[in-house]
Amino acid sequence: WQPNINEQKETDEILDDYEKYRPFLKEGGLTVTGGEPMLQLDFLTELFMKAKERDIHTCLDTSGVTFNPDDSEYIEKVDKLLKYTDLIMLDIKHIDDEEHRKLTRHSNANILDCARYLSEIDKPVWIRHVLIPGITDKDEYLVRLRDFLSTLHNIERIEVLPYHTLGVYKYEKLCIDYPLKDVQPPAAERVANANDILQQAL
C-alpha cells in the first residue's frame, strides 16, 4: 500500500460526485470503508458533516482498530464524528485475543472496547464477522462471540461473511506471501451454523 500515490479529493468533490448518482439511489447513502477510514478522522468528520447537510445517510465501515478509550482528545474527535454518523458496520475478526494477534498481529482489546462504547452511546451497529475455516470457524469461538455480542444493546444486524480467496491476486501482485493460501472457503453448513449461533445475540 502506497498512500502517497492515491488520488486525493476534497470533501465537496466526493459529495458532488455522489449527487450525480443520487437519482438512481432508492435507499442507502454514503458508506466510507478502507483500509481503515478512522485513520483520517478529521477528513471523515468533515465529509459526514457536509453529507448530513445534504440529507445523505452516512455509514462508517470500520474495524475499530484505532479506538483508544484512554485518550480523551481522541474520544472527543470520535464523538464529533459519530454525531454525523447514522450507522456503524463494525468488523470483529476474532473474539480470542491471542488468536486475533495471530491473524492480524494486533490485540482485539481496543476493538471490543469500541463495540462497548458504541453500545453505551446507543449508536446503531451492524456486526460483521468473517468465517475462516480452522481459524474463526470453531463453535467455541462463535459461542464466545455470541456471548459478548449479547452484552451489547445497539446491534441491528449480524452478518456472517464466508471467507473467500478473491484477494489472493492482490498479494501476488505486491509480491507478498499470502498467509491464508492453504485455506478454502467454508462449507455452506458451517456458514449456516455460524449464523444460527450468532443470531442468538439479537
Side-chain angles (χ1 to χ4, degrees):
W1 180 49
Q2 296 175 299
N4 295 329
I5 66 170
N6 290 319
E7 181 182 2
Q8 295 188 2
K9 289 188 176 183
E10 299 290 337
T11 53
D12 287 326
E13 290 181 85
I14 294 173
L15 293 170
D16 288 344
D17 192 44
Y18 173 90
E19 295 286 2
K20 297 175 186 175
Y21 303 97
R22 194 165 190 166
F24 304 100
L25 302 175
K26 296 179 181 178
E27 296 180 11
L30 184 67
T31 300
V32 178
T33 183
E36 176 47 60
M38 290 183 73
L39 288 171
Q40 300 185 58
L41 266 178
D42 294 334
F43 180 87
L44 186 56
T45 300
E46 179 184 324
L47 177 65
F48 276 13
M49 179 181 68
K50 290 181 176 179
K52 297 312 298 177
E53 289 172 356
R54 300 188 189 205
D55 196 30
I56 298 172
H57 182 278
T58 55
C59 176
L60 172 62
D61 184 355
T62 179
S63 70
V65 70
T66 66
F67 189 79
N68 184 355
D70 300 320
D71 184 338
S72 58
E73 185 178 333
Y74 172 83
I75 291 297
E76 187 176 331
K77 285 191 171 190
V78 168
D79 284 344
K80 186 176 180 182
L81 168 64
L82 294 179
K83 179 181 176 182
Y84 305 107
T85 305
D86 294 310
L87 176 67
I88 305 281
M89 291 196 296
L90 183 64
D91 178 18
I92 299 182
K93 291 181 172 61
H94 209 300
I95 192 61
D96 184 85
D97 189 63
E98 183 178 345
E99 294 298 320
H100 192 278
R101 290 175 187 271
K102 290 179 185 176
L103 185 62
T104 69
R105 301 182 185 175
H106 296 281
S107 169
N108 70 0
N110 52 340
I111 296 166
L112 301 185
D113 282 340
C114 180
R116 293 186 190 98
Y117 185 75
L118 293 171
S119 179
E120 287 171 12
I121 65 172
D122 204 30
K123 181 61 66 173
V125 166
W126 290 6
I127 297 295
R128 311 180 91 199
H129 181 64
V130 178
L131 193 69
I132 309 173
I135 299 177
T136 62
D137 183 17
K138 294 183 180 180
D139 285 4
E140 171 197 350
Y141 297 139
L142 292 167
V143 167
R144 283 174 58 187
L145 178 57
R146 177 203 66 195
D147 291 347
F148 171 74
L149 296 178
S150 295
T151 68
L152 309 178
H153 311 290
N154 59 330
I155 300 175
E156 294 187 343
R157 184 170 173 174
I158 299 172
E159 294 183 329
V160 174
L161 308 176
Y163 165 79
H164 58 73
T165 58
L166 297 178
V168 174
Y169 82 96
K170 296 180 182 178
Y171 281 77
E172 292 174 347
K173 192 172 181 180
L174 293 169
C175 300
I176 299 174
D177 185 50
Y178 187 67
L180 303 178
K181 58 188 173 186
D182 297 322
V183 178
Q184 296 301 312
E189 57 266 26
R190 292 305 299 172
V191 177
N193 175 70
N195 264 310
D196 288 344
I197 294 173
L198 294 183
Q199 298 304 323
Q200 294 170 18
L202 294 175

